[in-house]
């Protein structure tokens, strides 16, 4: 879904130099940006979440913030601070660690 939103903005703004100094331009683009960056992803997330397992849903929810920071760095040339990097690592490790423990425990059980 994030790729859909990303591709929309790349198609929309690729090669176009839009000046947001004019207030009319801002009011014209604000609904489009709001729909494709807030409304549409939330609707897709709400519709798709019940169809996922609880574990996968939790993983998707927790990886949302690190991916937003990484895409902001790649697409918008935002600076990433050490605190943000530490936060990303904490989030990713908190997602990976329980899953690794489960996999290791499952491999150690005889007969499986």
């Amino acid at each position: 879904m994030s790729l859909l939103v990303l591709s929309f903005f790349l198609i929309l703004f690729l090669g176009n130099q839009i000046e947001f100094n004019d207030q009319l331009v801002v009011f014209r683009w604000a609904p489009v940006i709001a729909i494709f960056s807030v409304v549409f992803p939330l609707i897709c997330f709400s519709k798709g979440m019940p169809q996922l397992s609880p574990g996968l849903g939790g993983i998707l929810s927790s990886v949302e913030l690190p991916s937003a920071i990484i895409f902001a760095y790649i697409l918008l040339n935002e600076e990433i601070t050490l605190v943000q990097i530490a936060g990303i690592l904490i989030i990713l490790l908190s997602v990976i660690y329980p899953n690794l423990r489960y996999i290791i425990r499952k491999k150690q059980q005889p007969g499986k």
Side-chain angles (χ1 to χ4, degrees):
M1 181 189 51
S2 296
L3 290 175
L4 176 67
V5 174
L6 175 65
S7 62
F8 168 77
F9 281 112
L10 287 177
I11 291 170
L12 183 66
F13 294 115
L14 196 61
N16 295 334
Q17 194 72 7
I18 298 176
E19 291 291 329
F20 287 105
N21 295 333
D22 186 14
Q23 210 167 16
L24 181 62
V25 172
V26 172
F27 285 124
R28 185 172 42 166
W29 284 104
V32 173
I33 293 171
I35 288 171
F36 281 97
S37 65
V38 177
V39 177
F40 185 67
L42 283 176
I43 290 172
C44 291
F45 193 75
S46 299
K47 293 286 187 183
M49 198 60 128
Q51 299 175 11
L52 299 175
S53 67
L56 186 58
I59 291 172
L60 285 177
S61 296
S62 61
V63 177
E64 182 180 359
L65 182 61
S67 64
I69 293 172
I70 292 168
F71 277 115
Y73 173 74
I74 293 170
L75 298 176
L76 304 174
N77 295 325
E78 292 282 331
E79 291 186 24
I80 299 178
T81 64
L82 287 175
V83 174
Q84 289 172 321
I85 292 172
I88 290 172
L89 291 176
I90 290 170
I91 291 170
L92 292 178
L93 288 174
S94 67
V95 170
I96 293 171
Y97 180 69
N99 291 318
L100 284 178
R101 278 186 35 198
Y102 175 75
I103 291 170
I104 291 170
R105 224 179 314 149
K106 194 172 181 180
K107 284 184 180 181
Q108 290 176 349
Q109 291 178 351
K112 288 192 177 186

